[in-house]
Amino acid sequence: MIIAYTVKEVREQVKAWRKEGLTVGLVPTMGYLHEGHASLMRKAVEQNDRVVTSVFLNPTQFGPTEDLESYPRDFDQDCRLCESIGVSMVFHPEPEEMYAPDFCTWVNMDVLTGTLCGKSRPTHFRGVCTVVSKLFNIVTPDRAYFGQKDAQQLAVIRRMVRDLNMDIEIVGCPIVREADGLAKSSRNTYLNKEERKAALILSQSIALGQQMVQDGEKSAAAVKAAMTEKINSEPLARIDYVEIVDGLSMQPVETIKEPTLAAIAVYIGKTRLIDNFII
Amino acid sequence: MIIAYTVKEVREQVKAWRKEGLTVGLVPTMGYLHEGHASLMRKAVEQNDRVVTSVFLNPTQFGPTEDLESYPRDFDQDCRLCESIGVSMVFHPEPEEMYAPDFCTWVNMDVLTGTLCGKSRPTHFRGVCTVVSKLFNIVTPDRAYFGQKDAQQLAVIRRMVRDLNMDIEIVGCPIVREADGLAKSSRNTYLNKEERKAALILSQSIALGQQMVQDGEKSAAAVKAAMTEKINSEPLARIDYVEIVDGLSMQPVETIKEPTLAAIAVYIGKTRLIDNFII
């Protein structure tokens, strides 16, 4: 497995693969890889001749008060996981390799990003769209893989790819959960034992909402109220948002029909966790 | 020469060329092609195996009060010129082919665009960066050609390509002028006989500034004052801006050194014309 630190190395390797007629898949990550990332990489290895995983803790998608500094890292472990799955190249640039001191170009969206995580994190999706655009231009993949856990991110990236005519297939992959239901996340590592237990309220609330919809509930307000009440029953939980939105526009809906996204963000102590389900 | 109206046609043709190992140049235009565009296309034909000229009057780079509706068009004549120069494909999409009704993704810059034309036309460069990004993703050229007449546009595009890691060489080409000095522009067609004569004040002011710099003048304020006075001597001229800026950052400078850009925008009657010189 190749470990590349510069844009130039990646470009040269990908061009060599292209000359051989090989297809290339990209799995963009911020590192501290878990089973969720592993599922993306396995899918990518299955569907492409070569797979590039980027491990880049992208500063521009963190707000000034967010957890960039404390975000967990373990590059050696990440590489071991990538290699075991059959990833061909890990791209691990320094921030300086990605952002020149006078960097000033941004890819942004004026809808889809005003609700959910975009509301709580106003510059987050600008950072995501920009870094993903850069990674797409560096790696020029045939396919790129994103987890359904970041449902709004997936919708935003699909829209960006469509709007800017990027010739890349976006593959969304299901949420991977712990045995007890908690959605896998690098941020789960922040939780102490008590918080880890309390964090189950997210997946329990998701399961409750999903059951109501399966049982025929069409009112977004009713599902939202039940999910909110469930989360509020946990003393360590503080709701950032509980929203039911159109699956494409990310705008709140009153009536549940396909495609609808039910998404939550909840602080457990100081740790902000997200979860969702799609109808 | 191929005339393509859809993204799909362009992609398929470019992929076929790529399979043959051919290089591709792109000349993005808004149509009503003149000798300035011809010089870009000739350069592109010289440097690439295949050349694509896009003829697209991009609505998103016009402000609500600007001249989108009246902008001159002559697609048949444009095609004749392209063919005579050896262009391989003209891409002429409808606005609907480029912008879905719910289009919402923008490429933008938070410096470089606050001065000069970006100051007078606040959404202009957002439209330019976005459409050029789209054209780059559709055509995937090796090289793209832009005129030095739109000096700020050229600087903005070079920065965008660097910041977003677009693997495209940007080739800037010199201003092409009429015999009497007026910079070639599709908008020159708006001028009546009297205005056409008055418009010479732009190139005369440029020549004056250039001469002062050649003669050793280092004070931006002195050059700016002389150019301003010159333009104001023409009763039909109304200055939008006369600026001397750093050639990379587009920020005003006090002392003239390389690379510096002296740029002017002047209304002649209702027609806004631009010109510049580079030190």
Side-chain angles (χ1 to χ4, degrees):
Chain A
M1 189 180 72
I2 302 158
I3 301 179
Y5 296 92
T6 66
V7 171
K8 192 163 169 276
E9 290 169 82
V10 177
R11 274 207 214 291
E12 283 172 5
Q13 185 57 63
V14 171
K15 279 181 186 168
W17 288 336
R18 292 288 181 206
K19 274 206 175 147
E20 295 178 60
L22 302 173
T23 59
V24 178
L26 169 67
V27 184
T29 83
M30 298 211 300
Y32 210 72
L33 305 179
H34 51 65
E35 267 304 304
H37 301 105
S39 74
L40 303 178
M41 296 192 287
R42 280 191 205 103
K43 188 83 169 175
V45 166
E46 192 186 304
Q47 297 186 329
N48 301 274
D49 299 318
R50 295 290 180 271
V51 170
V52 179
T53 295
S54 59
V55 174
F56 178 58
L57 190 49
N58 174 40
T60 66
Q61 70 192 70
F62 287 80
T65 62
E66 291 178 6
D67 59 343
L68 174 62
E69 294 309 315
S70 61
Y71 199 90
R73 306 162 202 225
D74 189 342
F75 185 60
D76 292 341
Q77 173 56 28
D78 291 347
C79 286
R80 281 192 292 274
L81 181 64
C82 290
E83 186 145 34
S84 75
I85 290 171
V87 166
S88 315
M89 176 160 61
V90 171
F91 176 41
H92 184 50
E94 291 294 323
E96 298 70 30
E97 175 72 6
M98 294 294 274
Y99 297 106
D102 56 354
F103 183 93
C104 67
T105 311
W106 300 99
V107 183
N108 208 351
M109 215 162 275
D110 55 12
V111 288
L112 270 78
T113 55
T115 55
L116 310 179
C117 290
K119 193 172 174 186
S120 315
R121 310 180 70 188
T123 60
H124 175 66
F125 286 112
R126 187 182 79 157
V128 169
C129 287
T130 302
V131 80
V132 170
S133 293
K134 286 168 66 69
L135 291 168
F136 284 180
N137 285 330
I138 294 165
V139 179
T140 65
D142 298 280
R143 296 177 196 85
Y145 297 79
F146 296 88
Q148 187 59 55
K149 203 201 107 203
D150 298 294
Q152 188 176 18
Q153 171 177 279
L154 181 56
V156 162
I157 286 168
R158 283 192 198 281
R159 179 61 68 92
M160 175 182 82
V161 164
R162 188 205 70 172
D163 281 355
L164 298 185
N165 304 101
M166 295 165 168
D167 194 15
I168 297 169
E169 184 190 339
I170 302 302
V171 182
C173 299
I175 298 177
V176 177
R177 298 181 180 279
E178 304 285 353
D180 62 5
L182 180 65
K184 297 254 186 189
S185 165
S186 307
R187 289 187 171 98
N188 291 349
T189 189
Y190 294 147
L191 303 169
N192 65 27
K193 208 173 164 187
E194 194 188 8
E195 289 169 340
R196 174 64 184 78
K197 213 171 143 190
L200 284 181
I201 203 67
L202 279 95
S203 52
Q204 286 168 2
S205 153
I206 290 295
L208 171 66
Q210 212 159 10
Q211 190 60 53
M212 287 176 76
V213 174
Q214 261 174 37
D215 293 348
E217 182 60 65
K218 297 284 175 210
S219 158
V223 174
K224 208 171 132 170
M227 291 174 68
T228 302
E229 194 190 338
K230 179 79 185 170
I231 299 167
N232 283 337
S233 73
E234 168 53 57
L236 290 183
R238 183 168 59 81
I239 290 175
D240 177 15
Y241 64 75
V242 176
E243 291 291 353
I244 299 183
V245 299
D246 177 80
L248 292 176
S249 73
M250 301 288 117
Q251 299 307 306
V253 295
E254 289 184 7
T255 307
I256 294 171
K257 54 175 188 280
E258 291 177 24
T260 295
L261 167 71
I264 61 177
V266 178
Y267 284 92
I268 301 294
K270 286 183 177 171
T271 305
R272 186 175 173 280
L273 300 175
I274 59 175
D275 203 341
N276 69 76
F277 69 96
I278 290 173
I279 299 123
Chain B
M1 189 179 73
I2 301 157
I3 300 179
Y5 296 93
T6 65
V7 171
K8 192 164 170 278
E9 289 168 82
V10 177
R11 273 207 215 291
E12 283 173 3
Q13 185 57 64
V14 171
K15 279 181 185 167
W17 289 335
R18 292 288 180 207
K19 275 206 174 147
E20 294 178 61
L22 302 173
T23 59
V24 179
L26 170 66
V27 183
T29 83
M30 298 212 299
Y32 211 72
L33 305 179
H34 52 65
E35 267 304 304
H37 302 105
S39 74
L40 303 178
M41 295 193 286
R42 280 191 205 102
K43 188 83 170 174
V45 166
E46 192 185 304
Q47 296 185 328
N48 301 274
D49 299 317
R50 295 289 181 274
V51 171
V52 179
T53 295
S54 59
V55 174
F56 178 57
L57 190 50
N58 174 39
T60 66
Q61 69 191 72
F62 287 80
T65 63
E66 291 177 4
D67 60 343
L68 174 62
E69 293 308 316
S70 61
Y71 199 89
R73 306 161 201 227
D74 189 342
F75 186 60
D76 291 343
Q77 174 55 29
D78 290 347
C79 287
R80 282 192 293 273
L81 181 65
C82 291
E83 186 145 35
S84 74
I85 290 171
V87 166
S88 314
M89 176 159 61
V90 172
F91 176 41
H92 185 50
E94 291 294 323
E96 297 71 31
E97 176 71 7
M98 295 293 274
Y99 297 105
D102 56 354
F103 183 94
C104 67
T105 311
W106 301 98
V107 183
N108 209 351
M109 215 162 274
D110 54 12
V111 288
L112 271 79
T113 55
T115 56
L116 311 180
C117 290
K119 193 173 175 185
S120 315
R121 310 180 69 189
T123 61
H124 175 67
F125 287 113
R126 187 183 79 158
V128 168
C129 287
T130 302
V131 80
V132 169
S133 293
K134 286 170 65 69
L135 290 168
F136 284 179
N137 285 330
I138 294 165
V139 179
T140 64
D142 298 280
R143 296 178 196 82
Y145 297 79
F146 295 88
Q148 187 58 57
K149 203 201 105 204
D150 299 295
Q152 188 175 18
Q153 172 177 277
L154 180 56
V156 162
I157 286 168
R158 284 193 197 282
R159 179 61 69 93
M160 174 181 82
V161 163
R162 187 204 72 171
D163 281 355
L164 297 185
N165 304 99
M166 295 166 168
D167 193 15
I168 296 170
E169 183 190 342
I170 301 301
V171 182
C173 298
I175 297 177
V176 177
R177 298 181 180 280
E178 303 285 352
D180 62 5
L182 179 66
K184 297 254 186 189
S185 166
S186 306
R187 289 188 171 98
N188 291 349
T189 189
Y190 294 148
L191 303 169
N192 66 28
K193 209 174 164 186
E194 195 188 6
E195 289 168 342
R196 174 65 184 76
K197 213 172 143 190
L200 285 181
I201 203 67
L202 280 95
S203 52
Q204 286 168 2
S205 153
I206 289 295
L208 171 65
Q210 212 159 8
Q211 189 60 55
M212 287 176 76
V213 174
Q214 261 173 37
D215 293 347
E217 181 59 65
K218 297 283 175 211
S219 157
V223 175
K224 207 170 133 170
M227 291 174 69
T228 302
E229 194 189 339
K230 179 81 185 167
I231 299 167
N232 284 336
S233 73
E234 168 53 57
L236 290 182
R238 183 169 58 80
I239 291 175
D240 179 13
Y241 65 75
V242 175
E243 291 289 356
I244 299 184
V245 299
D246 177 79
L248 292 176
S249 73
M250 301 287 117
Q251 299 307 307
V253 294
E254 289 184 8
T255 306
I256 294 172
K257 55 175 190 280
E258 293 177 22
T260 296
L261 167 71
I264 61 177
V266 178
Y267 284 92
I268 303 293
K270 287 183 176 172
T271 304
R272 185 175 173 281
L273 300 175
I274 59 176
D275 204 340
N276 69 77
F277 69 96
I278 291 173
I279 300 122

